[in-house]
Amino acid sequence: MTTDERRDRLRDLVKDRGFAALGELASQLSVSESTIRRDLEMLEEAGLARRTHGGVYWTGDSDTISVFESRNDDFWAAKQSIGRAASELIADHDTILLDGGSTVYELARLIVHRPLQVVTNSLPVAHLLSTSDSIDLVMIGGCVRGRTSVTIGPLADSQLANIHVTTAFLSVAGVSPRGFFNSDMMLVESEKAMLASAERGIVLADHSKFGKTSLSRICELHQIDTVVTDDGLDSDAKAWLESAGVQLRLAQSPQKTLAPAPTASPSNSSPTHSLNNANLS
């Protein structure tokens, strides 16, 4: 097997599994772990994988489910930074809910290797996390919105009404002094059900979303516990959130980031909850 063939095979293995241990990859490819580490550096530099202690997880696109064509937009680097900052708010073994927004998907890419219980209505998120041996995954059913690949509607809402999670992470189309907004009315109803199922609600939104409204309001500002955004947020928006009692977490812009964000410590997060105690009927 040539070096190029080995690296192609390595790429396929990591992609298929979602997360793989270094020892497994070395055994599968009949090379040393030091060789695997060198090969993984190339995958990481290409943005296709990220190494973690003892292994590597896939961060590239999926071949089977369309994810987000907007990955080339002007705010994608900010969304990635927001995802990293949000991942620090999750403790191992937490039970969390992820919606189908593009910024929340960036968060999902960072937790695929962690021991968590995850509820989602997003087909791309479910596909990404389904290969992880460390994640207990619950997929919400319902009508599938083709454009965004999320499940919504009465069936989704009824399932959400019988689930309890520690934290719901939501993306939004707009944030104003009047609250948080999205353009799809059926999606908004499902997002309201998500918030009702959670002990705390966290909104992930880059600074371009602030000062905007949309067709339907999800909730008022004070009904969200924390907003994670980038440090391009202006002072007026900071004032709205502060006056509403919302905690604000600013993700550092990529050009200002000097080191990878640390992994969350359970002592800095709210108590965990098990889906074994949730009523999923």
Side-chain angles (χ1 to χ4, degrees):
M1 184 185 300
T2 67
T3 299
D4 287 342
E5 288 173 340
R6 184 184 69 243
R7 288 174 175 171
D8 286 344
R9 177 61 178 149
L10 175 65
R11 178 183 182 278
D12 291 341
L13 286 171
V14 177
K15 182 176 182 179
D16 290 343
R17 296 178 185 180
F19 176 82
L22 292 181
E24 293 176 9
L25 295 170
S27 175
Q28 188 82 25
L29 296 172
S30 301
V31 295
S32 67
E33 289 192 16
S34 60
T35 298
I36 291 296
R37 288 190 184 95
R38 288 194 297 271
D39 291 346
L40 289 175
E41 286 180 6
M42 298 190 65
L43 279 184
E44 195 167 32
E45 288 172 2
L48 298 176
R50 174 172 293 201
R51 289 175 293 172
T52 185
H53 180 68
V56 60
Y57 56 96
W58 180 253
T59 59
D61 289 339
S62 162
D63 285 338
T64 56
I65 295 181
S66 175
V67 185
F68 300 103
E69 295 179 357
S70 59
R71 190 161 287 156
N72 295 319
D73 72 21
D74 293 338
F75 300 103
W76 205 269
K79 293 178 182 182
Q80 291 177 315
S81 296
I82 292 166
R84 285 192 293 272
S87 71
E88 298 174 30
L89 303 177
I90 302 171
D92 287 351
H93 308 291
D94 267 355
T95 299
I96 64 173
L97 191 152
L98 304 180
D99 79 354
S102 58
T103 310
V104 173
Y105 184 82
E106 288 302 308
L107 166 61
R109 280 157 42 99
L110 297 173
I111 62 170
V112 69
H113 65 294
R114 295 180 59 184
L116 297 166
Q117 294 179 311
V118 180
V119 180
T120 187
N121 71 330
S122 166
L123 296 180
V125 168
H127 178 71
L128 174 69
L129 300 182
S130 64
T131 57
S132 173
D133 292 333
S134 64
I135 287 181
D136 293 332
L137 181 65
V138 175
M139 179 73 201
I140 298 297
C143 299
V144 178
R145 269 287 194 262
R147 183 173 61 85
T148 53
S149 295
V150 296
T151 56
I152 55 177
L155 179 59
D157 298 348
S158 66
Q159 287 183 291
L160 288 164
N162 291 301
I163 285 177
H164 176 261
V165 299
T166 302
T167 308
F169 291 90
L170 305 181
S171 294
V172 298
V175 187
S176 83
R178 296 187 58 235
F180 300 90
F181 294 81
N182 256 326
S183 57
D184 187 320
M185 295 181 71
M186 288 184 66
L187 173 60
V188 164
E189 290 305 309
S190 293
E191 287 180 318
K192 289 177 179 179
M194 291 175 183
L195 288 175
S197 75
E199 291 184 17
R200 62 174 180 169
I202 297 180
V203 165
L204 310 187
D206 66 77
H207 73 271
S208 70
K209 303 295 194 309
F210 288 80
K212 297 180 179 178
T213 59
S214 195
L215 179 65
S216 188
R217 186 170 68 173
I218 304 167
C219 64
E220 297 180 20
L221 292 180
H222 69 86
Q223 293 175 281
I224 292 295
D225 297 275
T226 303
V227 167
V228 185
T229 185
D230 60 276
D231 54 9
L233 190 67
D234 65 33
S235 57
D236 287 343
K238 291 177 183 177
W240 309 336
L241 297 171
E242 182 179 355
S243 64
V246 179
Q247 295 183 24
L248 180 62
R249 189 176 183 89
L250 294 179
Q252 198 170 43
S253 298
Q255 63 269 26
K256 300 178 184 177
T257 302
L258 300 179
T263 302
S265 168
S267 63
N268 293 329
S269 182
S270 58
T272 61
H273 293 266
S274 172
L275 276 180
N276 295 330
N277 296 325
N279 178 7
L280 303 181
S281 60

